[in-house]
Amino acid sequence: MAVLFSRIKGILLLLFLPCFCSSQPAPPLLRFSIFLDPSNMVYLRWDHDEQELMTFELQVHTTGWVAFGFSPHGELPGSDIVIGGIFPNGSIYFSVS
């Protein structure tokens, strides 16, 4: 998977949080997937198009927030990180660093 990310010039990051709406659009078809932990609590799906634009879906059993990052070397320094979650009042937040 690291080899795939190293060849990508631009990344579109989409995180899909659960929505309990009846008019929610169908999720995109994502051809690749993997559980990222041994207890199967973190599930990542992704795909790319002809222009190497990537779409991601991250499903996590969480207490209200999640962080997701990319790094050219697999280390935290120099990585791109997205943090998102749900406040107790139900509003959603995202932060990119």
Side-chain angles (χ1 to χ4, degrees):
M1 196 157 103
V3 174
L4 175 67
F5 293 136
S6 67
R7 296 190 325 213
I8 297 171
K9 295 179 177 67
I11 295 174
L12 171 65
L13 177 65
L14 298 175
L15 294 177
F16 297 93
L17 296 176
C19 177
F20 301 103
C21 307
S22 61
S23 62
Q24 180 180 3
L29 176 63
L30 303 174
R31 296 177 292 168
F32 308 101
S33 64
I34 189 170
F35 281 100
L36 299 178
D37 67 318
S39 59
N40 294 342
M41 301 285 282
V42 181
Y43 184 61
L44 176 65
R45 295 175 56 215
W46 73 96
D47 204 347
H48 60 89
D49 63 13
E50 299 81 27
Q51 291 82 30
E52 295 185 346
L53 185 67
M54 293 195 70
T55 302
F56 294 91
E57 176 183 307
L58 187 62
Q59 298 176 12
V60 181
H61 292 272
T62 179
T63 58
W65 68 275
V66 65
F68 185 70
F70 292 95
S71 168
H73 307 291
E75 301 288 331
L76 187 58
S79 63
D80 296 319
I81 300 172
V82 174
I83 300 171
I86 303 173
F87 287 116
N89 68 3
S91 62
I92 297 171
Y93 67 91
F94 284 100
S95 174
V96 179
S97 63

